[in-house]
Amino acid sequence: MVFNLIQNSFGLDISEKFWRAVQIKKSGNKFKVVSFAELDIPEGIIKDGKFVKEKEAIELFKKLLDSAEKKISSRYTSVCLPEPKTFIKVINITYPKSKNIMAEVIEESKKHIPYPLEKIYLDWQFVNEKDKSKIIVGVCPKDIIDNFQSFLKKVNLMPVVLEIESMSIARSLFPLTKPVESPVMVVDFGVSRTGIFVYEKDFIPFSLSLGISSEDLTSHLMAKLKLKYDQAEEAKIKLGLDHARALGGLRKVLSEPLKKLAEEIR
């Protein structure tokens, strides 16, 4: 029953800058996109991972669904949680010696989680069913999840999955049938922040969020080239880091913030 709900749900990506909805359906042995919608979100609707202007958010959400290429029919949704507010960590436990796995998971998690346990929701799974000495723990503050669930209820949606964004990205990038043996770093360069995680052997041992973002590149172009926001955004998108365009001039201008990002990643 739960698996059927997940299959029939649509994906929802909610951030401070953009909202995206996508619905896929199985066709033979493959999945295909049957509907997609994207909407720019005004500043202040979401702040610190929470809906702060709920009435405006409800109207914007209706607008998002109305703009879909094909009507999204499901009221069940799989939602990405805001990455900067979540925490993911691989920890060791003493299974199978432990008689109470959940108690040990909680006790061991206290040493790693940057939030008080009474203020978070926690989920976990074994990294490998054959080696049950390692588990991956996912955490999100209760006020974030409670806020999301309250909003989804008001727009008549039922969340069947609330997932940490890095795990969603990993499943879309890497094959499920063949483990990635060597560690791979994934850099998700977004509008308002940069998410980084390492993926290895079907799990994520490490993730973090950096403040440098695509918006910072736009601001840098505005300051250095005396451009308006729309002009800087257009130049960034059309010219980018291409050596062949504008004699590579934009690449040179953007090298400063990108070097800063590279240093933080290292």
Side-chain angles (χ1 to χ4, degrees), residues 156-174:
N156 197 33
L157 291 180
M158 174 70 72
V160 293
V161 175
L162 295 171
E163 186 167 45
I164 293 174
E165 187 176 25
S166 56
M167 298 190 75
S168 298
I169 293 173
R171 284 190 294 101
S172 68
L173 290 177
F174 302 106

Side-chain angles (χ1 to χ4, degrees), residues 101-149:
I101 296 298
M102 193 64 221
E104 184 163 346
V105 168
I106 292 174
E107 191 61 34
E108 189 63 29
S109 296
K110 290 179 182 178
K111 303 173 186 177
H112 305 278
I113 295 171
Y115 304 109
L117 282 181
E118 66 273 12
K119 293 186 177 181
I120 57 103
Y121 290 116
L122 178 150
D123 199 4
W124 65 276
Q125 67 183 55
F126 292 113
V127 169
N128 188 318
E129 286 295 330
K130 294 180 180 179
D131 176 14
K132 296 186 177 181
S133 63
K134 290 184 179 181
I135 62 170
I136 185 166
V137 175
V139 167
C140 186
K142 285 182 178 179
D143 59 344
I144 299 293
I145 289 183
D146 291 346
N147 179 267
F148 262 61
Q149 289 184 317

Side-chain angles (χ1 to χ4, degrees), residues 208-228:
L208 62 85
S209 186
L210 301 177
I212 299 175
S213 67
S214 177
E215 282 286 279
D216 292 320
L217 299 189
T218 302
S219 298
H220 187 77
L221 291 176
M222 291 171 64
K224 293 293 183 179
L225 302 179
K226 310 300 181 185
L227 299 175
K228 294 181 179 179

Side-chain angles (χ1 to χ4, degrees), residues 13-259:
D13 179 16
I14 294 176
S15 69
E16 294 183 5
K17 299 287 185 179
F18 295 97
W19 293 356
R20 299 180 180 95
V22 61
Q23 189 165 29
I24 61 175
K25 286 191 176 180
K26 193 170 184 180
S27 178
N29 294 325
K30 298 181 179 180
F31 288 88
K32 65 177 183 179
V33 175
V34 294
S35 188
F36 175 79
E38 182 179 62
L39 188 67
D40 292 355
I41 301 302
E43 187 175 351
I45 299 296
I46 293 180
K47 188 174 181 180
D48 294 328
K50 292 188 285 188
F51 294 91
V52 292
K53 294 183 178 179
E54 201 168 68
K55 289 183 179 179
E56 292 93 329
I58 290 171
E59 291 304 313
L60 286 167
F61 192 80
K62 291 177 182 177
K63 186 177 179 181
L64 172 71
L65 295 188
D66 288 342
S67 69
E69 300 166 1
K70 183 180 178 182
K71 184 178 179 180
I72 294 176
S73 55
S74 178
R75 63 179 293 263
Y76 299 103
T77 183
S78 300
V79 186
C80 272
L81 295 170
E83 186 73 21
K85 298 297 179 181
T86 58
F87 178 82
I88 191 168
K89 177 78 173 180
V90 173
I91 63 176
N92 296 316
I93 60 172
T94 57
Y95 186 91
K97 294 180 181 179
S98 174
K99 294 181 180 179
N100 189 333
I101 296 298
M102 193 64 221
E104 184 163 346
V105 168
I106 292 174
E107 191 61 34
E108 189 63 29
S109 296
K110 290 179 182 178
K111 303 173 186 177
H112 305 278
I113 295 171
Y115 304 109
L117 282 181
E118 66 273 12
K119 293 186 177 181
I120 57 103
Y121 290 116
L122 178 150
D123 199 4
W124 65 276
Q125 67 183 55
F126 292 113
V127 169
N128 188 318
E129 286 295 330
K130 294 180 180 179
D131 176 14
K132 296 186 177 181
S133 63
K134 290 184 179 181
I135 62 170
I136 185 166
V137 175
V139 167
C140 186
K142 285 182 178 179
D143 59 344
I144 299 293
I145 289 183
D146 291 346
N147 179 267
F148 262 61
Q149 289 184 317
S150 173
F151 174 78
L152 292 171
K153 184 177 181 180
K154 288 175 181 176
V155 293
N156 197 33
L157 291 180
M158 174 70 72
V160 293
V161 175
L162 295 171
E163 186 167 45
I164 293 174
E165 187 176 25
S166 56
M167 298 190 75
S168 298
I169 293 173
R171 284 190 294 101
S172 68
L173 290 177
F174 302 106
L176 297 175
T177 55
K178 186 178 180 181
V180 176
E181 296 298 331
S182 299
V184 178
M185 177 182 288
V186 177
V187 179
D188 177 21
F189 191 60
V191 175
S192 57
R193 53 96 202 172
T194 296
I196 299 171
F197 66 89
V198 173
Y199 184 79
E200 180 185 13
K201 296 181 180 178
D202 296 337
F203 70 96
I204 299 170
F206 172 80
S207 70
L208 62 85
S209 186
L210 301 177
I212 299 175
S213 67
S214 177
E215 282 286 279
D216 292 320
L217 299 189
T218 302
S219 298
H220 187 77
L221 291 176
M222 291 171 64
K224 293 293 183 179
L225 302 179
K226 310 300 181 185
L227 299 175
K228 294 181 179 179
Y229 179 86
D230 290 344
Q231 293 172 322
E233 189 73 6
E234 184 178 9
K236 181 183 69 177
I237 293 170
K238 289 187 175 181
L239 303 179
L241 304 177
D242 194 334
H243 281 292
R245 297 192 175 190
L247 300 177
L250 207 68
R251 181 187 180 96
K252 294 176 183 177
V253 176
L254 292 175
S255 63
E256 182 182 334
L258 290 175
K259 283 180 180 178

